[in-house]
Amino acid sequence: MDVPTWIWVLTAVGIVALLAFDFIFHVRKAHVPTLREAAIWSALYVGIAVVFGLGVLLLGGGTMGSEYFAGYITEKALSVDNLFVFLIIMSSFMVPRESQQKVLLFGIAFALVARTGFIFLGGALINSFAWVFYLFGLILLLTAGSMVKPESQQSHESENIVVRIARKLFHTSERYDGDRFFTVIDGKRAMTPMLLVMVAIGGTDIMFALDSIPAIFGLTQNVYLVFTATAFSLLGLRQLYFLIDGLLDRLIFLSYGLAIILAFIGVKLVLHALHENNVPFINDGEPVTVVEVSTGLSLSVIVVVLLVTVLASLFSKRGRAQNAISNARRHANAYLDAEYTADPAERERIFRALLEERDQIDRLGPKYRQMVRDERALRELLERAVASHDAAVARGEADRFGPTKIIDRD
């Protein structure tokens, strides 16, 4: 499908307009989005992506349409996996709930710019050097192998090298000043954690691109389809974060499903590289007769693997237990942090959630209670949160809290 320049321009303008609309009408005024708001806008962005895909199917044919949807679904799944890391980074920096939308939108915009650069670079390399398919295939196979290894929160450091350099070179503040990037402390201009967390998000976005771009080039080499599938998978990611925030830790098998998909695409890329081979030391530089994987089969494998892994995660008792434990610790820390949110309704929501999660932990059997890391410290943390709430209610000031900032890192 040869795409005219005017369609490229129109598409780029449309995507920028959607980002601008998101900022002006949702993010500029700091607030905590409701579940209804997040659900409506998430569905709207998915609907836009589907309608665009139907247009590609109608105008470009079945192959192009299948390639777009395969790329979109894969990139969307990888984006959901990226939300785990965003959650860890924002929890580490204790980003106020009202400001998290701005951080996420920055991450999406930065990712879109960075990945666009990678897409055009990847397209140019593929058109010039057939051996790049070998390289992309190897990257995906290595990535798939790394995804099946157990990961801890420490494996996704929020204090990446750029953040550490920024802290050493610039005067930084330990406290937020609304959503400002800079503040004044003792008459000196200081960088707030808001700017640092955006640097951390931007740094991880570049790392994500190194996995996602080879993956989608394994499904289609049409640069326009690669760009649009990637862009539409990122749009709506902010709303999706708030929609599935409490379920992220429950998707315990998602990484295994993504590993299978990336390994599958990696093998497909290697087979395609063999079919197009011009590397001198492989079959004397001649193409190798191999079976190539069709786009239809690729789309089917991606959809089936994602359905199986997501459903298995949602119905898993281990997943429910892990979700309750992780969310209880996170919600208790957030509740005890006086700067986390100024919205009384949001603070009450957090408190009700941690009570429900505490009850879920109490109901865990011996097998799943072993998943609680340092159970005594978690119990003490939950008790402090409950005591803080009871004291506030007793004072008749449930929407006001003292200046002490208590953060438990256990």
Side-chain angles (χ1 to χ4, degrees):
M1 186 173 71
D2 189 20
V3 181
T5 302
W6 67 269
I7 292 183
W8 270 102
V9 173
L10 190 63
T11 303
V13 169
I15 290 170
V16 172
L18 286 172
L19 287 172
F21 176 86
D22 222 8
F23 175 77
I24 294 171
F25 292 99
H26 294 107
V27 175
R28 186 171 60 174
K29 183 181 179 181
H31 72 285
V32 180
T34 63
L35 186 63
R36 182 174 179 273
E37 177 187 340
I40 290 174
W41 286 101
S42 292
L44 180 62
Y45 277 111
V46 171
I48 291 173
V50 171
V51 169
F52 180 86
L54 292 176
V56 172
L57 189 66
L58 180 64
L59 299 176
T63 299
M64 291 297 180
S66 298
E67 288 180 355
Y68 166 80
F69 279 112
Y72 172 74
I73 294 171
T74 301
E75 291 296 301
K76 197 69 173 178
L78 288 169
S79 296
V80 172
D81 190 56
N82 296 347
L83 289 180
F84 285 92
V85 185
F86 289 167
L87 177 63
I88 291 171
I89 291 174
M90 288 197 285
S91 296
S92 300
F93 279 95
M94 295 303 293
V95 180
R97 186 71 168 174
E98 291 86 349
S99 299
Q100 289 182 3
Q101 290 199 95
K102 179 173 285 189
V103 173
L104 286 168
L105 188 60
F106 167 82
I108 291 168
F110 184 88
L112 189 55
V113 172
R115 294 185 193 198
T116 299
F118 280 118
I119 287 169
F120 284 104
L121 176 61
L125 289 174
I126 284 173
N127 290 331
S128 302
F129 309 103
W131 57 263
V132 171
F133 287 111
Y134 287 114
L135 177 61
F136 281 3
L138 179 61
I139 290 173
L140 293 183
L141 290 172
L142 292 175
T143 302
S146 67
M147 292 187 79
V148 298
K149 295 179 181 178
E151 290 186 339
S152 63
Q153 182 160 321
Q154 285 72 29
S155 63
H156 298 296
E157 284 289 338
S158 61
E159 290 282 314
N160 61 36
I161 185 170
V162 180
V163 174
R164 290 196 293 270
I165 291 174
R167 288 191 183 276
K168 289 181 179 180
L169 295 181
F170 302 100
H171 182 44
T172 59
S173 167
E174 295 298 324
R175 299 174 67 85
Y176 288 90
D177 185 5
D179 57 3
R180 295 181 178 87
F181 293 158
F182 295 92
T183 188
V184 177
I185 301 177
D186 298 329
K188 294 182 179 180
R189 187 177 174 84
M191 186 184 297
T192 69
M194 179 60 68
L195 183 55
L196 292 177
V197 72
M198 287 188 174
V199 171
I201 292 287
T204 55
D205 277 333
I206 294 176
M207 295 175 59
F208 294 153
L210 297 178
D211 299 335
S212 66
I213 298 306
I216 193 169
F217 268 116
L219 298 168
T220 177
Q221 282 82 60
N222 186 302
V223 176
Y224 181 75
L225 294 183
V226 172
F227 171 74
T228 51
T230 301
F232 284 122
S233 71
L234 291 172
L235 292 173
L237 193 60
R238 175 186 65 80
Q239 294 86 347
L240 187 63
Y241 174 87
F242 291 97
L243 183 63
I244 66 172
D245 183 13
L247 289 176
L248 281 175
D249 287 299
R250 190 162 172 175
L251 300 176
I252 58 174
F253 299 126
L254 180 61
S255 60
Y256 297 104
L258 290 175
I260 293 172
I261 291 172
L262 293 181
F264 171 79
I265 298 174
V267 170
K268 180 184 177 183
L269 275 171
V270 172
L271 291 175
H272 183 72
L274 290 170
H275 186 267
E276 302 289 332
N277 180 62
N278 58 8
V279 178
F281 56 83
I282 298 178
N283 197 37
D284 295 326
E286 296 296 323
V288 180
T289 303
V290 292
V291 176
E292 287 211 80
V293 181
S294 68
T295 304
L297 177 60
S298 299
L299 181 58
S300 300
V301 169
I302 291 166
V303 171
V304 170
V305 170
L306 285 177
L307 279 176
V308 170
T309 52
V310 169
L311 290 175
S313 297
L314 293 178
F315 287 101
S316 166
K317 290 184 178 180
R318 181 172 175 268
R320 289 197 293 269
Q322 178 172 304
N323 196 53
I325 294 165
S326 299
N327 284 341
R329 181 176 285 112
R330 182 163 58 90
H331 285 144
N333 280 324
Y335 188 83
L336 289 168
D337 180 4
E339 296 181 352
Y340 183 70
T341 178
D343 185 351
E346 174 64 12
R347 193 173 288 279
E348 279 300 307
R349 184 196 70 80
I350 294 172
F351 181 72
R352 289 194 299 271
L354 73 85
L355 287 182
E356 182 178 343
E357 289 144 6
R358 183 193 63 180
D359 294 340
Q360 289 180 25
I361 294 173
D362 289 337
R363 293 193 295 267
L364 294 178
K367 176 181 178 181
Y368 299 107
R369 288 284 287 275
Q370 296 176 1
M371 296 171 59
V372 183
R373 178 170 53 86
D374 198 348
E375 183 176 357
R376 182 176 178 180
L378 177 59
R379 292 288 180 186
E380 291 176 352
L381 177 64
L382 295 176
E383 289 172 5
R384 290 207 306 274
V386 172
S388 175
H389 180 270
D390 291 345
V393 171
R395 292 193 307 267
E397 299 176 352
D399 60 338
R400 297 178 58 196
F401 295 86
T404 303
K405 185 175 183 179
I406 305 173
I407 301 176
D408 193 299
R409 295 298 186 190
D410 292 330

